[in-house]
Amino acid sequence: MKTYNIYIFDLDGTLLDTLQDLACSVNYALRQYRLPEHSNDNIRRFVGNGVRLLMERAVPQGALHPQFEDIFATFRQHYMKHALDTTRPYEGIPEMLHTLKSHGCQLAVVSNKMMAATQELIAHFFPEIDVAIGEHEENGIRKKPAPDTVYEALRQLGVTPIPSQVSAVYIGDSEVDIQTANNAGLPCISVLWGFRDRQFLEAHGATTFIEHPIELLCY
C-alpha cells in the first residue's frame, strides 16, 4: 500500500469524542433563552460544519431567531470554559499518533471548530501534532469543505500545497471531510468510530474506511 508522509486529521469525531461537551454547551445556551433542548443524537447530526451552523441547526428559526447572536455568544462562552469536561481521545488515537510521529511523519489537524478551542484541545491532548488550524475566516481562509485550511496546514508544514507534489492523506469522519479532501485533491480515509456511520459515508462518496486507529499505520 501507499505510505504517506503527511497525515491531516479532522478533530471532532475523528481524534476526539467531543459530543457530550458540545451537547452540554448547546443545551446550556438554549436553556438561558427558554428554548427546547436537543438529544445527543440530534447534536451528532448537527455537527461537522462549524459551531455557527451547529447553533443555527439547534435554535428554532436558526439565524433568523431575533436573539440568535446572543444565544450563539452564550454557547461560545460556555464551550470555551467546558471544552475539556468530558472530551477524550478515542481509544487507540494517542498510540497511533505517537507511532506515526516516531516514523518521521508530519501531522496536522484542520477543523471547523473555533480556532482557540482547536488549539487548546490539541495542546492538551496531542502535543505531537505539528499544526492545528481551526475556524480562520477572518484571515480570508474559508472553512471546510473549502480546501483552504488544508492548504494552510501544508503551508505551515513547509510543503507547497500542490496535490501532485504532496504525499499526504486526509482522515475524517463526515461528509464534510470527504468533500474537503476532494476539493484539496487529496485521498480521504473515513473512520467508522465517529459521528457518521458507514452507510451514510458511502452515500456521500467514501471509498476507504478504517475501523480502528491502528489500521491507519498500513497507509
Side-chain angles (χ1 to χ4, degrees):
M1 290 186 177
K2 179 177 175 58
T3 300
Y4 299 101
N5 297 322
I6 300 172
Y7 294 78
I8 301 174
F9 296 90
D10 172 54
L11 185 57
D12 294 50
T14 300
L15 298 181
L16 291 176
D17 184 355
T18 57
L19 183 61
Q20 185 62 45
D21 287 337
L22 285 168
C24 285
S25 291
V26 168
N27 286 328
Y28 172 83
L30 295 173
R31 280 197 303 276
Q32 306 316 301
Y33 293 86
R34 302 180 185 277
L35 296 173
E37 299 180 32
H38 291 281
S39 68
N40 282 11
D41 282 343
N42 279 349
I43 301 298
R44 183 190 303 274
R45 290 191 292 269
F46 295 164
V47 299
N49 295 89
V51 291
R52 186 177 185 88
L53 190 52
L54 164 63
M55 292 306 295
E56 287 181 12
R57 291 165 172 166
V59 173
Q61 299 178 267
L64 297 179
H65 190 286
Q67 293 178 292
F68 177 78
E69 294 300 334
D70 293 334
I71 300 166
F72 182 44
T74 299
F75 161 81
R76 289 173 65 101
Q77 292 165 5
H78 188 273
Y79 187 67
M80 286 306 301
K81 293 179 181 178
H82 296 276
L84 292 171
D85 285 2
T86 65
T87 289
R88 297 290 183 273
Y90 288 102
E91 181 181 359
I93 290 292
E95 294 82 1
M96 176 269 291
L97 293 175
H98 178 75
T99 301
L100 288 175
K101 194 68 176 177
S102 69
H103 290 171
C105 298
Q106 291 180 292
L107 309 177
V109 163
V110 295
S111 175
N112 280 343
K113 185 184 288 293
M114 296 173 289
M115 176 69 84
T118 297
Q119 295 188 334
E120 178 185 6
L121 290 167
I122 293 302
H124 182 81
F125 289 109
F126 308 123
E128 59 270 79
I129 297 286
D130 300 296
V131 171
I133 297 175
E135 192 175 58
H136 212 68
E137 292 191 28
E138 66 274 12
N139 294 326
I141 297 176
R142 297 168 297 168
K143 69 180 182 179
K144 301 185 297 184
D148 301 27
T149 49
V150 173
Y151 291 160
E152 176 64 14
L154 292 170
R155 186 192 69 79
Q156 291 189 26
L157 290 172
V159 178
T160 301
I162 300 175
S164 62
Q165 299 178 4
V166 175
S167 179
V169 64
Y170 186 98
I171 302 97
D173 75 303
S174 75
E175 71 280 13
V176 174
D177 296 315
I178 297 166
Q179 295 164 9
T180 301
N182 288 338
N183 290 339
L186 297 180
C188 182
I189 297 174
S190 297
V191 308
L192 295 178
W193 57 79
F195 295 163
R196 306 286 190 266
D197 61 27
R198 186 182 187 118
Q199 182 178 6
F200 181 94
L201 293 169
E202 286 181 334
H204 287 82
T207 57
T208 304
F209 301 91
I210 55 175
E211 295 183 351
H212 191 277
I214 196 68
E215 297 173 42
L216 191 59
L217 303 181
C218 297
Y219 291 87

